[in-house]
Amino acid sequence: MGHKGIGATANVQDEQGVEFAFDRAVEAIPPGQPLRIIVEQNIPGSDFRLLCVNGKFVAATERRPASVVGDGTSTIAQLIEQENATKSRLDTPTSPLGKIKTDESMRRYLSEQGFNLESVLEENKIVYLRKIANLSSGGLSIDATRTIHPDNIILAQDIAQHFRLTCLGIDVITRNLSKSWHEGNFGIIEIN
């Protein structure tokens, strides 16, 4: 699986979830490629990207899964349609946000939460539509630069300096970016 979370399933809880995740991963493998699937430990927390330029930390963003906010009258499908119609989600190379995509993963996650696309959400109720915070499927990016612990900055810079790349994004999951990675519950997902 190359990018944008294609074929990835997070926080698998039961046998049905394993079967779904396996099938989704297999579907994402290009024809003719060997069957290779990675299974990783689930680390609870939020998804962050730590950005380093020329070996120095410059910014952190929290990436949140796509979500909608109830208005008391609209279905989740209608809320998605309304959100996708906003100027920020034009789905062009210069638009800041991608369109929220409706697919089987979304339907499954909504079902796990007791909802479906026809559910009407009470006013101001936030419902996340995915477990994974990919921006390409409608996720949000929020500045978290001021909240990062100094130890996490040092870790990011050590990684960036090791790889000697001009621009490097380090994707991590942690419950709290303001706590040191030494305290545990901090995992590096990937380096871009």
Side-chain angles (χ1 to χ4, degrees):
M1 280 120 339
H3 61 290
K4 298 184 177 182
I6 297 170
T9 303
N11 197 17
V12 175
Q13 297 290 319
D14 55 29
E15 191 174 321
Q16 279 185 314
V18 171
E19 289 175 13
F20 175 80
F22 181 81
D23 291 343
R24 188 160 186 249
V26 169
E27 289 172 9
I29 298 171
Q33 295 291 317
L35 179 63
R36 292 186 186 151
I37 296 174
I38 298 171
V39 178
E40 298 176 326
Q41 174 186 358
N42 184 66
I43 299 171
S46 297
D47 183 335
F48 294 90
R49 176 164 285 174
L50 312 180
L51 178 64
C52 293
V53 177
N54 293 323
K56 298 289 183 194
F57 170 80
V58 295
T61 59
E62 180 181 358
R63 300 183 308 174
R64 292 187 184 162
S67 63
V68 290
V69 180
D71 62 9
T73 60
S74 302
T75 66
I76 290 175
Q78 291 169 328
L79 293 169
I80 292 169
E81 188 176 322
Q82 291 168 20
E83 180 62 27
N84 280 342
T86 63
K87 289 182 180 180
S88 59
R89 292 192 186 272
L90 292 177
D91 222 8
T92 66
T94 57
S95 60
L97 300 172
K99 296 268 189 199
I100 298 174
K101 296 175 175 61
T102 302
D103 59 14
E104 187 55 35
S105 291
M106 177 191 291
R107 287 183 191 90
R108 183 179 186 84
Y109 188 48
L110 285 172
S111 177
E112 288 175 15
Q113 299 174 81
F115 300 110
N116 61 49
L117 289 169
E118 298 309 311
S119 298
V120 174
L121 301 179
E122 62 189 62
E123 193 169 354
N124 297 320
K125 171 132 181 97
I126 298 172
V127 171
Y128 287 97
L129 305 172
R130 299 192 176 278
K131 292 179 182 180
I132 300 174
N134 285 74
L135 302 182
S136 62
S137 59
L140 300 174
S141 182
I142 299 160
D143 185 12
T145 306
R146 293 184 186 163
T147 66
I148 189 169
H149 190 281
D151 287 348
N152 301 338
I153 292 173
I154 292 167
L155 174 66
Q157 291 180 159
D158 285 349
I159 292 168
Q161 290 166 12
H162 174 79
F163 285 101
R164 296 186 177 128
L165 295 172
T166 303
C167 186
L168 186 77
I170 304 161
D171 294 347
V172 302
I173 289 188
T174 182
R175 284 195 173 138
N176 189 343
L177 193 62
S178 66
K179 290 191 175 182
S180 171
W181 67 272
H182 292 290
E183 295 181 34
N185 196 32
F186 185 102
I188 296 173
I189 303 168
E190 66 181 359
I191 298 170
N192 298 289

